[in-house]
Amino acid sequence: MARLGDILVSRGMVTQNQLEAALAAQGSERGMLGQILLRRNLISLDQLGDALAEQYGVDYFDIVPQAINVQIARLLPENLARERNCVPVAIHGRELQLAMVTPDDIDTISETELITGYHVKPLVALDNAVQAALDRGFDDRMTARQTIVDMKMADLESAEHLEEIDLEPTDAVEEEQAPVVRLVRSILMGAINAGCSDIHLEPHVPEMRVRYRVDGELQSVMTIPNHTEESVVARIKVMADMDTTENRRPQDGRLTITEAGARVNFRVSTIPTVGGEKVVMRLLDEGGKSFELRTLGLSDADLKKIQSLIDKPHGMIVVTGPTGSGKSTTMYSVLSRLNAVNRNIVTVEDPVEYRLTGINQVASDNEHGLGFANALKYMMRQDPDVIMVGEIRDQETAGTAVQAALTGHLLISTLHTNDSVGAVARLNDLGVDNFKIAGSLNGVIAQRLLRTICDECREPCSPNEQLWTQMMGDKPIPDDAFFFQGRGCKKCLGTGYSGRLPIFEVLVMTPKLAEAVERGAPASEISRIAIKEGLVDLRQAGLSQVFAGRTSLEEVYYKLSS
């Protein structure tokens, strides 16, 4: 077989000197010879394609990833396709066109024929184009979109066929089942691969909207035709063991899927809207979740403070923050640290999201008289050492929780407040006397989750001085401070952010703070005392992450303002 370089020289596309320079650069530059020549603008893509076709004696295929049906691209297992640098691109009758970087690889051709049952016609293609086609083909969101297209085409073909023969369909449900099953699985797998926390299926006209919550932000993924949405919702209900005949009242369920040996649970909630049933599914990845304080992202100082709180035999620890700020993860991590054979740990949760070995978990059930307050009363008769209440949301629960903390139990719960000091005012609003708060509260952990700047497109930037002034007042920007932003790239889907990191504010109830709380001091005074006693507030914790280049000033401002 002729060498690519010799073919290019013989065709007059490059000179011998240019070829030798490119060959010499192969040790320091990425890619094969053809890619190096392309980057140096010595040849065009068409010229390289013609030369490769001559070299291997097959046709050159210029891959356009968006033009390849993802169902065809998936005819080969992903691991095999990536390892062999090949991708199925088209089917004609019983012939499968296989784009390959090395189309003379007989083993790959034979294995593809064995797996697919098609006769393979090899084509030559560039390595980066093959990988781009595989990236798109094995993106579950793309598969879901293609499935919707397939369903639309099937509907059109079915309608034309019925019009020609004038017959009624015999089993429409059975015909639609397979694509709906495939579509729902693609939505679920796409969510797992995207690292999202929630899936939203929202009925609108003319199409149902599907959105993923990634890094705390909702992103539109696809739309589903209105005539299909009922089947999609019904399929989800079947998987979650919910009543498929009931669509006039809210329902809750749970489903589990297994992929590559890993189990992922979804908490499913449906609610009727004017446009139809809205479905929200929360991902609960039990297999990939670990609950350890040292992996939460706490500073050494905050970790020591939390350890001092849970070392106390009784009292109350409150975790605060808005919905989706990671409070449950922090509570589970505290419970895991406390979990020991000599402790009786009992929880009441709504719902029980994760199962913890060795801990007695109770699901709150208001319909059967087992709401937070009642469950807490029953749990007090179960000889508990540690009690976890999912949320203190009413006066009765607050009063019972404080009483439990004052009578020799360590109680952990959550409140919805903006910062740690706000927990004092919130308990007071719920009818707890100041002297009881001062006597029962060991400490408060306030937290937020901030989006981290994408490491692929991270770049320096000038600070937004207006935001700085709103956050810090007259305090000047430090001369040695650097600020960064994400430019937006393929990895982060143009957002500039990829992943999240937590920030914490840990308030320990010292004697001075307890005295201020007991006499009913205002929040501003309690905050000043707490800072003098060593509190690092959320604002300072956020700015330290900004100066470290992990997040942006804008992200800190908007997350702490919300």
Side-chain angles (χ1 to χ4, degrees):
M1 183 173 62
R3 294 184 301 179
L4 178 63
D6 294 338
I7 294 173
L8 292 171
V9 171
S10 67
R11 290 188 171 206
M13 297 175 182
V14 297
T15 66
Q16 188 65 39
N17 289 338
Q18 289 172 332
L19 174 62
E20 291 175 358
L23 289 171
Q26 278 190 300
S28 57
E29 290 190 35
R30 288 185 300 102
M32 302 173 72
L33 174 63
Q35 293 172 325
I36 293 173
L37 293 170
L38 281 173
R39 284 200 297 268
R40 297 185 174 195
N41 294 319
L42 296 176
I43 60 173
S44 67
L45 192 60
D46 289 338
Q47 289 174 326
L48 175 59
D50 290 342
L52 287 170
E54 180 180 337
Q55 181 185 23
Y56 287 103
V58 299
D59 292 335
Y60 169 72
F61 190 83
D62 183 9
I63 294 178
V64 179
Q66 293 78 8
I68 298 174
N69 186 317
V70 293
Q71 308 293 356
I72 294 175
R74 282 180 170 235
L75 286 174
L76 286 179
E78 182 178 7
N79 290 342
L80 175 67
R82 290 193 185 278
E83 180 185 339
R84 307 289 178 85
N85 274 338
C86 63
V87 59
V89 293
I91 293 175
H92 298 290
R94 298 304 305 164
E95 182 182 83
L96 171 67
Q97 293 186 348
L98 185 67
M100 310 172 67
V101 175
T102 53
D104 58 348
D105 184 349
I106 303 301
D107 289 341
T108 297
I109 293 172
S110 300
E111 200 163 346
T112 300
E113 290 182 338
L114 183 64
I115 291 172
T116 64
Y118 287 97
H119 172 69
V120 169
K121 178 183 179 181
L123 307 169
V124 66
L126 298 184
D127 176 62
N128 56 353
V130 169
Q131 293 302 320
L134 291 173
D135 288 343
R136 186 177 187 276
F138 286 95
D139 182 338
D140 287 281
R141 289 172 289 181
M142 293 295 111
T143 308
R145 291 191 185 103
Q146 184 64 49
T147 302
I148 293 170
V149 172
D150 293 345
M151 291 166 69
K152 287 180 177 177
M153 294 300 296
D155 288 342
L156 290 173
E157 291 173 3
S158 176
E160 291 174 1
H161 181 61
L162 291 173
E163 191 174 308
E164 287 175 7
I165 62 177
D166 197 27
L167 290 175
E168 292 295 322
T170 56
D171 197 349
V173 174
E174 192 169 299
E175 290 179 5
E176 192 179 26
Q177 179 80 359
V180 167
V181 169
R182 202 163 70 239
L183 174 58
V184 170
R185 182 167 180 83
S186 294
I187 292 171
L188 297 177
M189 291 306 302
I192 294 169
N193 294 333
C196 86
S197 60
D198 300 89
I199 308 170
H200 291 244
L201 287 84
E202 303 160 327
H204 294 291
V205 177
E207 295 181 313
M208 170 179 268
R209 180 173 64 178
V210 180
R211 295 193 289 175
Y212 291 165
R213 187 176 293 280
V214 181
D215 296 336
E217 302 291 326
L218 280 171
Q219 299 177 1
S220 183
V221 178
M222 68 186 78
T223 56
I224 297 173
N226 280 146
H227 74 276
T228 305
E229 69 180 56
E230 286 187 11
S231 300
V232 170
V233 173
R235 172 60 183 168
I236 292 170
K237 284 183 172 182
V238 168
M239 295 175 70
D241 197 23
M242 298 160 72
D243 186 354
T244 57
T245 63
E246 178 59 73
N247 56 14
R248 293 173 296 179
R249 63 180 179 85
Q251 292 190 66
D252 292 309
R254 195 180 182 103
L255 66 87
T256 301
I257 63 172
T258 303
E259 181 71 15
R263 287 166 54 88
V264 181
N265 291 323
F266 293 79
R267 191 181 76 212
V268 183
S269 171
T270 65
I271 190 169
T273 71
V274 292
E277 281 189 280
K278 181 181 188 297
V279 182
V280 175
M281 293 180 279
R282 169 151 292 189
L283 277 74
L284 306 171
D285 185 3
E286 294 188 2
K289 200 80 171 175
S290 88
F291 298 107
E292 295 186 26
L293 281 174
R294 60 181 178 81
T295 63
L296 285 182
L298 289 155
S299 67
D300 290 340
D302 285 343
L303 189 57
K304 288 179 181 178
K305 289 179 182 178
I306 293 177
Q307 187 63 53
S308 73
L309 296 179
I310 64 180
D311 282 342
K312 295 181 179 180
H314 55 81
M316 185 162 62
I317 301 171
V318 175
V319 185
T320 76
T323 300
S325 60
K327 298 188 299 296
S328 295
T329 300
T330 299
M331 284 203 302
Y332 282 137
S333 299
V334 169
L335 290 180
S336 295
R337 177 67 69 93
L338 289 166
N339 195 7
V341 70
N342 62 339
R343 286 196 181 100
N344 176 23
I345 302 176
V346 188
T347 76
V348 54
E349 308 169 54
D350 182 22
V352 176
E353 293 189 351
Y354 296 98
R355 313 291 168 84
L356 301 177
T357 303
I359 292 176
N360 306 289
Q361 296 173 268
V362 177
S364 174
D365 187 352
N366 286 310
E367 290 184 7
H368 295 87
L370 205 63
F372 281 145
N374 279 340
L376 191 49
K377 291 176 182 177
Y378 291 124
M379 287 159 58
M380 295 284 286
R381 303 169 190 166
Q382 292 282 315
D383 186 32
D385 297 298
V386 180
I387 301 170
M388 190 267 269
V389 180
E391 183 184 350
I392 297 175
R393 59 177 64 155
D394 55 52
Q395 185 172 350
E396 187 179 6
T397 305
T400 308
V402 169
Q403 193 61 37
L406 288 171
T407 54
H409 304 92
L410 184 62
L411 186 135
I412 304 163
S413 191
T414 69
L415 284 170
H416 286 280
T417 65
N418 289 329
D419 54 24
S420 58
V421 173
V424 175
R426 178 63 180 145
L427 287 170
N428 195 251
D429 290 342
L430 290 170
V432 181
D433 294 330
N434 287 326
F435 76 91
K436 286 187 177 180
I437 297 173
S440 64
L441 190 62
N442 290 348
V444 184
I445 305 168
Q447 63 185 87
R448 293 289 193 283
L449 286 175
L450 306 177
R451 291 181 296 169
T452 53
I453 298 172
C454 175
D455 55 9
E456 292 290 330
C457 60
R458 178 174 168 269
E459 61 183 14
C461 68
S462 299
N464 185 321
E465 294 185 6
Q466 182 179 357
L467 289 186
W468 177 272
T469 301
Q470 291 181 10
M471 286 181 62
M472 305 302 294
D474 295 332
K475 186 176 181 180
I477 299 174
D479 294 333
D480 59 348
F482 292 94
F483 296 82
F484 295 87
Q485 66 180 6
R487 183 179 62 257
C489 65
K490 181 180 178 181
K491 177 185 175 182
C492 61
L493 302 177
T495 64
Y497 297 95
S498 179
R500 290 194 289 180
L501 61 86
I503 55 172
F504 297 91
E505 174 183 298
V506 183
L507 182 148
V508 177
M509 187 62 71
T510 63
K512 288 184 179 179
L513 278 170
E515 185 275 329
V517 170
E518 188 170 346
R519 63 179 165 83
S524 57
E525 182 182 344
I526 295 174
S527 182
R528 283 195 301 270
I529 296 172
I531 290 172
K532 286 182 180 179
E533 296 283 283
L535 176 73
V536 177
D537 63 19
L538 286 170
R539 182 182 57 179
Q540 290 296 334
L543 286 178
S544 69
Q545 299 294 347
V546 171
F547 297 150
R550 299 187 185 99
T551 192
S552 66
L553 183 65
E554 288 78 7
E555 179 70 4
V556 173
Y557 175 78
Y558 290 119
K559 284 295 165 64
L560 296 187
S561 299
S562 60

